[in-house]
Amino acid sequence: QVYLTESGGGLVSSGGSLRLACVVSGGTSATHVLAWFRQPPDTDREFVAVIGRTGRTLDYSGSVQGRFTISRDNAKNTVYLQMNSLKPEDTAVYYCAASQSPFLHTTPTEYKNWGQGTQVTVSS
């Protein structure tokens, strides 16, 4: 079984930065496509970013393009999300997810392994 554990969330002011990390255990991260999703209060889970097995292919949602950067370190079985220029609308619980599919899916239903989430709150 694959397990994912997020960390790095917190409370920051508008314009600040945070770096999230997700450690993959129960298997090497190099065998999985890894993605970040987020879920604001009382809303559906939405796509943020995804990265391929080798880190050479990437995709982002339009709302975070140019502000967020996804990366991975397969030697550490870890995927990161660097978040800059944070806005109040970025406030949400952030989840990492893993897929054995070769495609960079952007829908939550395509991912079968999820972390428990980490809270990110951006004050105005």
Side-chain angles (χ1 to χ4, degrees):
Q1 185 80 324
V2 175
Y3 301 92
L4 302 94
T5 305
E6 304 96 336
S7 63
L11 193 157
V12 297
S13 59
S14 181
S17 298
L18 283 174
R19 190 192 192 201
L20 307 183
C22 174
V23 177
V24 181
S25 60
T28 58
S29 62
T31 64
H32 293 83
V33 169
L34 298 173
W36 288 96
F37 293 80
R38 66 187 182 186
Q39 188 167 8
D42 300 316
T43 65
D44 294 331
R45 196 164 298 185
E46 65 183 34
F47 168 75
V48 176
V50 62
I51 188 167
R53 294 174 177 179
T54 66
R56 297 187 180 95
T57 53
L58 311 167
D59 196 16
Y60 297 93
S61 71
S63 61
V64 307
Q65 179 71 46
R67 298 189 298 121
F68 291 10
T69 302
I70 188 171
S71 62
R72 65 190 298 164
D73 185 342
N74 287 342
K76 296 181 178 180
N77 293 321
T78 303
V79 61
Y80 304 94
L81 186 68
Q82 178 67 49
M83 305 184 294
N84 299 325
S85 301
L86 283 163
K87 306 174 181 179
E89 51 262 47
D90 294 318
T91 295
V93 177
Y94 283 70
Y95 299 89
C96 63
S99 173
Q100 292 186 306
S101 169
F103 303 109
L104 303 188
H105 294 291
T106 60
T107 56
T109 55
E110 296 292 340
Y111 293 83
K112 306 304 179 184
N113 298 285
W114 295 84
Q116 293 300 304
T118 184
Q119 177 70 49
V120 172
T121 303
V122 185
S123 62
S124 60

